[in-house]
């Protein structure tokens, strides 16, 4: 193909992130969405640390932080009173440049990404629907319907299905989407309110008959409520309103809701697609996996899919990497999606289950144990690494090799501050393969890096580096997405050369 491009179907956060990363890599994209306008409401709120670290590579993390709210703590309410509080300030201290919990609503998130794409000359093609597509040896041919009803044939090198849980791309491929739907109905509301639960912290009311989570939003008194609908209206023809869920939980939180900006109900699903790639077509985000909203993982997982796939597509399209590199997308991402669904399923069941035992666990054990457990540094770090997604690894990927110190191939590059105000993540903004050495480099490393056209970044050894998991003078080969590809304690230049030789070239000059 001349001017090969990637066709992205769906302009939610996943599709927008994929378009932005590919564009920064120099890959031509078309991003289409059948809706006429971007969404003005959203359920996704949490922006996890790993997402901020990815966005830092593009220079946009600070924009999200400025527009969002840092959560200082989580409060548990039982029977109309605060029963416990878990502090979140600096919860990830020493693990990341962003050691906090951030809320930034999905609609604002999408507007920010759209603005970034606009600045790069990429426009979301609204009112444009994918009707069908065919896969050929060297391209994908898609039939699109424009807003005026006219049909157009689009030829692309690859197609990315980022079109949500009811994905047209997945359905046309005939890929299974096994899983299920949780019993019960849930609601989400954006309101303006007064009361002790509008203090820019998270609040959760744990009751038998009702359940509600409170998230702070930017602006005085603005909050997001997520809760259970326990009683349906008398008439099945009458749509639910916020008045139908003004139950005991909201009363117990002492919330005085003065304005409802929007309100919606939804069912919660848990599903993972049977595969994430077929030929030249990929599934990402909700098209590939959906799960409960516990822990605010969904949107962030889709963005992680996008970053993982983007550098690989760029390597194949711009750096002569073999197509087999794209085969690593599915195993790296599907394992995490399956684990995430299983984990959130267990937690969600505990949170929403009815009955005496479940009530006892929620109202007695959780408020008692949560603050105690968070005081234990190892457990606090484990929970932070899990929820923030900095613990996601690709150790079993064919792209991962070796171990040096506590760092294994496939791990996210550990973060360390090298001097006050500077850190080892700064070089990741190049979006290139690179080599890091913490301590004095061994003979031949610089020459091998020059031969392979790999930037070499040297960091003077400090004791904090050992705490982060690094080994003195070891060699760490870093992928464009900030994951360690090779960790070699001996810093052997031949092993570095061999890494690329045995993989047939993975587009190390890309980006």
């Amino acid at each position: 193909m001349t001017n090969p491009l990637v066709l992205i179907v769906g302009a939610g956060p996943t599709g927008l992130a994929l378009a932005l990363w590919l564009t920064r890599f120099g890959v031509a994209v078309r991003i289409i969405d059948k809706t006429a306008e971007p969404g003005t409401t959203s359920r996704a709120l949490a922006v996890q640390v790993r997402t901020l670290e990815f966005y830092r590579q593009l220079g946009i993390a600070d924009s999200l932080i400025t527009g969002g709210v840092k959560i200082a703590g989580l409060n548990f309410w039982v029977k109309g009173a605060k029963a416990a509080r878990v502090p979140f300030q600096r919860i990830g201290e020493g693990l990341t440049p962003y050691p906090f919990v951030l809320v930034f609503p999905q609609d604002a998130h999408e507007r920010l990404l759209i603005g970034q794409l606009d600045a790069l000359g990429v426009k979301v093609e609204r009112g444009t629907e994918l009707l069908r597509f065919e896969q050929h040896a060297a391209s994908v041919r898609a039939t699109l319907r424009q807003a005026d009803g006219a049909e157009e044939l689009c030829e692309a090198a690859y197609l990315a299905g980022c079109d949500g849980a009811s994905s047209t791309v997945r359905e046309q491929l005939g890929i299974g989407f096994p899983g299920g739907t949780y019993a019960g109905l849930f609601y989400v509301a954006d309101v303006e309110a007064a009361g002790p639960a509008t203090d820019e912290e998270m609040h959760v009311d744990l009751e038998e008959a009702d359940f509600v989570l409170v998230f702070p939003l930017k602006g005085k008194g603005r909050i997001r409520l997520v809760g259970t609908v326990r009683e349906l209206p008398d008439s099945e023809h009458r749509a639910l309103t916020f008045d139908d869920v003004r139950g005991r939980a909201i009363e117990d939180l002492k919330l005085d809701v003065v304005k409802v900006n929007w309100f919606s109900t939804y069912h919660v699903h848990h599903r993972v697609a049977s595969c994430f790639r077929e030929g030249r077509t990929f599934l990402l985000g909700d098209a590939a996996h959906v799960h409960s909203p516990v822990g605010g993982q969904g949107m962030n997982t889709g963005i992680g899919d996008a970053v993982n796939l983007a550098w690989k597509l760029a390597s194949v399209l711009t750096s002569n990497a073999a197509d087999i590199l794209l085969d690593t997308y599915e195993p790296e991402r599907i394992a995490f999606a399956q684990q995430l669904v299983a984990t959130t399923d267990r937690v969600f069941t505990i949170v929403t289950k009815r009955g005496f035992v479940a009530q006892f666990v929620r109202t007695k054990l959780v408020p008692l144990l949560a603050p105690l457990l968070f005081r234990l540094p190892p457990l606090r770090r484990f929970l932070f690494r899990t929820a923030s997604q900095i613990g996601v690894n690709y150790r079993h990927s064919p792209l991962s090799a070796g171990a040096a110190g506590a760092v294994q191939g496939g791990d996210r590059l550990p973060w360390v501050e090298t001097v006050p105000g500077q850190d080892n993540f700064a070089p990741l903004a190049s979006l290139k393969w690179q080599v890091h050495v913490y301590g004095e480099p061994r003979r031949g490393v610089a020459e091998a890096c020059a031969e392979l056209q790999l930037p070499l970044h040297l960091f003077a050894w400090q004791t904090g580096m050992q705490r982060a998991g690094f080994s003195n003078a070891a060699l760490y080969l870093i992928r464009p997405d900030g994951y360690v590809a090779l960790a070699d304690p001996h810093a052997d230049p031949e092993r570095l050369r061999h890494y690329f030789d045995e993989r047939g070239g993975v587009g190390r000059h890309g980006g």
Side-chain angles (χ1 to χ4, degrees):
M1 289 180 62
T2 56
N3 300 320
L5 64 81
V6 175
L7 174 63
I8 301 170
V9 182
T14 299
L16 293 168
L18 179 62
L20 185 56
W21 273 76
L22 285 171
T23 303
R24 289 289 300 271
F25 278 123
V27 175
V29 303
R30 283 187 70 179
I31 178 168
I32 66 171
D33 198 289
K34 62 184 180 181
T35 62
E37 298 291 339
T40 56
T41 62
S42 67
R43 297 186 192 122
L45 287 172
V47 179
Q48 301 295 354
V49 165
R50 192 68 186 113
T51 299
L52 290 175
E53 291 176 351
F54 287 141
Y55 283 172
R56 179 184 170 182
Q57 292 184 254
L58 303 181
I60 63 174
D62 288 345
S63 296
L64 274 82
I65 295 168
T66 300
V69 178
K70 294 180 184 178
I71 308 298
L74 169 62
N75 300 274
F76 297 94
W77 290 66
V78 177
K79 298 187 185 304
K82 280 188 187 181
R85 179 180 183 273
V86 174
F88 282 170
Q89 297 102 322
R90 312 295 295 180
I91 188 175
E93 190 81 60
L95 297 175
T96 173
Y98 308 109
F100 45 78
V101 177
L102 183 73
V103 163
F104 186 69
Q106 180 180 328
D107 52 336
H109 196 146
E110 290 181 11
R111 288 195 298 272
L112 188 149
L113 296 178
I114 290 168
Q116 291 293 318
L117 283 169
D118 283 347
L120 295 172
V122 177
K123 303 289 185 183
V124 176
E125 299 179 39
R126 294 283 172 188
T128 303
E129 182 179 3
L130 173 71
L131 294 180
R132 55 192 173 273
F133 62 92
E134 300 173 349
Q135 300 203 74
H136 300 273
S139 68
V140 179
R141 290 175 188 156
T143 301
L144 311 179
R145 181 164 56 204
Q146 308 288 351
D148 61 3
E151 293 188 7
E152 172 198 357
L153 186 65
C154 172
E155 188 171 16
Y158 296 96
L159 187 151
C162 306
D163 50 343
S166 301
S167 170
T168 298
V169 175
R170 189 190 64 246
E171 291 177 0
Q172 291 199 19
L173 289 172
I175 293 174
F177 203 35
T181 302
Y182 294 103
L185 189 65
F186 302 85
Y187 73 85
V188 57
D190 187 338
V191 306
E192 295 173 25
T198 62
D199 58 355
E200 296 198 345
E201 296 199 1
M202 283 179 59
H203 298 262
V204 56
D205 190 64
L206 303 167
E207 301 293 345
E208 164 61 12
D210 208 351
F211 168 83
V212 67
L213 271 165
V214 180
F215 298 89
L217 300 176
K218 201 78 169 180
K220 184 175 176 57
R222 284 195 62 219
I223 56 175
R224 177 73 48 82
L225 301 174
V226 178
T228 51
V229 179
R230 293 301 190 194
E231 296 181 9
L232 296 176
D234 297 334
S235 171
E236 62 182 35
H237 302 293
R238 182 174 71 81
L240 281 170
T241 69
F242 183 73
D243 287 335
D244 293 307
V245 299
R246 286 181 182 268
R248 178 176 168 187
I250 293 176
E251 294 173 5
D252 284 351
L253 287 166
K254 300 177 173 57
L255 280 173
D256 178 18
V257 177
V258 296
K259 183 180 179 184
V260 179
N261 293 317
W262 63 270
F263 172 83
S264 180
T265 59
Y266 61 100
H267 291 279
V268 175
H269 307 274
H270 50 103
R271 302 179 183 274
V272 180
S274 302
C275 61
F276 286 10
R277 180 191 188 188
E278 185 171 305
R280 292 180 165 269
T281 303
F282 301 85
L283 299 177
L284 300 84
D286 285 357
H289 45 78
V290 292
H291 39 81
S292 88
V294 168
Q297 301 293 303
M299 178 180 67
N300 297 274
T301 305
I303 292 168
D305 294 343
V307 175
N308 185 288
L309 182 60
W311 74 264
K312 296 171 182 177
L313 284 171
S315 296
V316 170
L317 291 171
T318 68
S319 303
N320 299 315
D323 182 83
I324 196 172
L325 173 63
L326 300 176
D327 286 339
T328 65
Y329 165 69
E330 179 181 307
E332 287 190 352
R333 296 305 297 175
I334 200 169
F336 174 59
Q338 291 166 340
Q339 174 192 354
L340 184 62
V341 166
T343 303
T344 57
D345 180 65
R346 288 192 294 269
V347 177
F348 190 73
T349 299
I350 293 172
V351 167
T352 60
K353 192 175 181 65
R354 304 183 79 167
F356 174 78
V357 174
Q359 179 187 13
F360 178 77
V361 170
R362 283 201 301 270
T363 62
K364 302 296 183 184
L365 288 186
V366 171
L368 175 66
L369 294 179
L372 296 176
L373 293 175
F374 263 78
R375 292 194 189 106
L376 302 174
L379 183 61
R380 185 170 64 245
R381 289 166 70 91
F382 169 77
L383 292 172
F384 178 79
R385 289 177 62 84
T386 300
S388 68
Q389 298 197 1
I390 66 172
V392 173
N393 71 75
Y394 307 134
R395 290 181 178 179
H396 300 295
S397 170
L399 296 180
S400 304
V407 179
Q408 297 184 38
D411 289 353
R412 158 194 169 269
L413 176 69
W415 176 81
V416 290
E417 191 172 44
T418 51
V419 298
Q422 298 182 32
D423 61 23
N424 65 328
F425 275 21
L428 302 182
S430 69
L431 306 184
K432 293 181 180 293
W433 285 86
Q434 56 195 264
V435 169
H436 287 199
V437 174
Y438 299 83
E440 287 295 320
R442 295 199 167 100
R443 182 178 301 176
V445 169
E447 291 77 7
C449 289
E451 173 192 326
L452 295 167
Q453 299 182 25
L454 291 168
L456 172 61
H457 298 280
L458 306 176
F459 302 93
W461 183 254
Q462 302 172 22
T463 55
M465 293 174 175
Q466 185 172 5
R467 288 196 300 271
F470 293 114
S471 178
N472 195 345
L475 178 150
Y476 300 93
L477 173 66
I478 315 300
R479 304 175 357 171
D481 57 356
Y483 286 87
V484 177
L486 169 66
D488 180 9
H490 306 295
D492 182 357
E494 287 307 311
R495 191 175 185 192
L496 180 62
R497 294 185 179 95
H498 183 61
Y499 175 90
F500 291 104
D501 290 342
E502 70 182 355
R503 288 164 180 80
V506 293
R508 62 183 178 273
H509 312 309

